[in-house]
Amino acid sequence: MTRSLLSPTFRDSGPASDVSSTTEWGDRTYMRIIQYVPNELRDERVNVALVLQNPSHGYAGLRKRPYMDPLLQALWPAIDAELVRLMVQEIETLLKPLNKSTRKGPSRLLHEAFDERSLPTYLDQFNQSYGSLRVTEAKPVRVAEGESFKEKLHQLFDLYIRVDDGRQRRSNITKEVIQFQVGKELDRRGAVYTEHAVLKGEFFENKFDVARHRIEAVDSMAHIISFDLKSIDTATTQSLRLLQSVDDLLSADPQLFAKYEFGVFLQAPIHYRQHRSNYDDALRAFRKKFKIFQNLDDEPGLVSATTRFVDSLASDQGFSAVS
């Protein structure tokens, strides 16, 4: 086996913009949260909407909290909740023409006509003219290959805005949630890494979620698998494909594990315990060939498990966790 077996998939920075005001933003996607702040001295605030923008491709979309009137009135009885909702709705109306489902990909990534509403700085005007509404600073977010902007907007809305009604606990941790957390941790550390490296086997092709390439050292590649779903078919299939592909490569090159190191981040089926046996079977199979990073907890556990995973991936020695 040679290094040609490992090839990064398409990564495009997009066409250069003809508008100088978009140059500083480049081909990146940004998130900003709209908050109601009745008392800045006491730092009272509540998230009421989330905006996602991509200046290079003319995208901007907003999702607002549904039924926000009773929530705001319960917290601050004297508030004109309807006025707050109408101000958020006005921003939503302004951005609606730019709320597209464009997917990032080699054949579908199009350069749209420039529109200032796709710039994160466009929202700054509402900090001055909309009373107690405030827009947070722009933060870059990662849009996975093949993921549409609308899908990313809905994902971020679930993370930062949505509130459960208390009748049932909604804390399913899908693969997308783990990918978002891992990307955030890697960005915070300024780690050099590659997304979506492809390891080609004889029968299957595996696209890894995160790959770390180091000169004159082994390459670390990580795969994220979540069993915390209503259906386990996807997780089970991913596990079998990954194991079989590595077996294919190992038969062709017995020195495979001297050249590459593999890690798997496993999310346990916390809320679907009837599938626990499938998770345990995958865990036993992976232990023979992979460094294992497990999350057996809820959201707080995900943060700590992700931190350990990223620390290992970003270290000079590669994965440092013990299987």
Side-chain angles (χ1 to χ4, degrees):
M1 187 181 72
T2 65
R3 293 285 178 175
S4 61
L5 287 171
L6 188 66
S7 58
T9 57
F10 176 81
R11 175 181 286 231
D12 190 352
S13 61
S17 173
D18 294 329
V19 182
S20 59
S21 58
T22 66
T23 303
E24 63 176 297
W25 299 106
D27 182 24
R28 302 193 70 175
T29 303
Y30 296 86
M31 172 192 77
R32 299 186 76 167
I33 296 174
I34 298 176
Q35 301 175 325
Y36 173 66
V37 185
N39 192 318
E40 293 194 36
L41 290 178
R42 294 193 300 188
D43 198 28
E44 294 179 345
R45 61 188 66 235
V46 60
N47 295 347
V48 293
L50 185 138
V51 178
L52 196 63
Q53 297 164 286
N54 186 295
S56 299
H57 303 290
Y59 170 84
L62 180 147
R63 276 201 66 184
K64 64 180 184 292
R65 183 191 296 277
Y67 313 114
M68 69 174 72
D69 293 29
L71 170 66
L72 296 177
Q73 287 175 332
L75 295 173
W76 301 281
I79 187 180
D80 186 347
E82 182 182 8
L83 177 61
V84 175
R85 174 169 47 82
L86 290 175
M87 289 190 295
V88 174
Q89 186 174 320
E90 182 178 344
I91 300 175
E92 181 184 33
T93 301
L94 289 170
L95 298 180
K96 189 173 182 179
L98 303 184
N99 190 357
K100 304 178 178 66
S101 292
T102 308
R103 288 183 179 272
K104 299 186 77 174
S107 62
R108 295 186 293 273
L109 189 57
L110 303 176
H111 182 54
E112 305 283 344
F114 169 73
D115 193 312
E116 67 171 355
R117 291 173 293 181
S118 66
L119 287 172
T121 51
Y122 175 78
L123 296 173
D124 288 336
Q125 61 183 301
F126 300 106
N127 282 334
Q128 286 75 43
S129 59
Y130 271 55
S132 295
L133 277 191
R134 294 291 182 271
V135 184
T136 63
E137 293 293 324
K139 294 179 58 176
V141 296
R142 189 182 312 281
V143 179
E145 180 183 347
E147 182 180 32
S148 75
F149 287 113
K150 278 193 174 180
E151 288 169 346
K152 175 57 69 173
L153 177 60
H154 297 333
Q155 178 192 128
L156 293 172
F157 176 85
D158 288 341
L159 287 172
Y160 290 100
I161 308 295
R162 184 185 298 278
V163 175
D164 298 333
D165 59 13
R167 288 176 295 183
Q168 62 178 359
R169 191 178 184 186
R170 292 181 65 259
S171 54
N172 294 353
I173 302 174
T174 64
K175 180 174 180 177
E176 289 72 27
V177 172
I178 300 173
Q179 286 175 317
F180 177 82
Q181 187 70 27
V182 168
K184 184 169 69 173
E185 288 293 324
L186 284 165
D187 285 341
R188 189 169 69 83
R189 287 164 174 74
V192 177
Y193 64 98
T194 302
E195 287 185 284
H196 305 307
V198 176
L199 189 62
K200 298 180 180 179
E202 182 178 355
F203 301 105
F204 297 110
E205 179 177 276
N206 279 279
K207 183 183 295 182
F208 285 81
D209 300 288
V210 185
R212 175 73 187 269
H213 303 280
R214 297 187 302 280
I215 299 174
E216 298 179 354
V218 295
D219 290 332
S220 299
M221 289 172 286
H223 202 73
I224 298 170
I225 299 176
S226 174
F227 285 79
D228 196 7
L229 302 168
K230 292 182 180 179
S231 171
I232 62 162
D233 293 342
T234 300
T236 303
T237 300
Q238 287 180 356
S239 300
L240 292 173
R241 283 168 58 98
L242 184 59
L243 288 165
Q244 186 164 349
S245 289
V246 173
D247 285 339
D248 292 341
L249 292 168
L250 186 61
S251 63
D253 183 358
Q255 301 301 316
L256 176 70
F257 294 111
K259 299 177 181 179
Y260 301 102
E261 60 176 354
F262 300 94
V264 175
F265 189 112
L266 284 179
Q267 164 64 29
I270 298 173
H271 308 287
Y272 300 92
R273 298 185 183 280
Q274 66 269 32
H275 302 312
R276 174 74 67 178
S277 60
N278 296 82
Y279 176 86
D280 290 338
D281 288 344
L283 183 61
R284 282 191 291 270
F286 281 132
R287 282 193 186 281
K288 301 175 183 178
K289 302 167 185 175
F290 298 84
K291 294 291 179 66
I292 306 297
F293 301 84
Q294 296 183 78
N295 177 40
L296 301 173
D297 205 342
D298 209 332
E299 286 285 356
L302 173 63
V303 174
S304 59
T306 303
T307 300
R308 291 193 300 272
F309 170 68
V310 173
D311 283 341
S312 294
L313 181 67
S315 69
D316 293 337
Q317 295 77 31
F319 292 127
S320 60
V322 178
S323 296

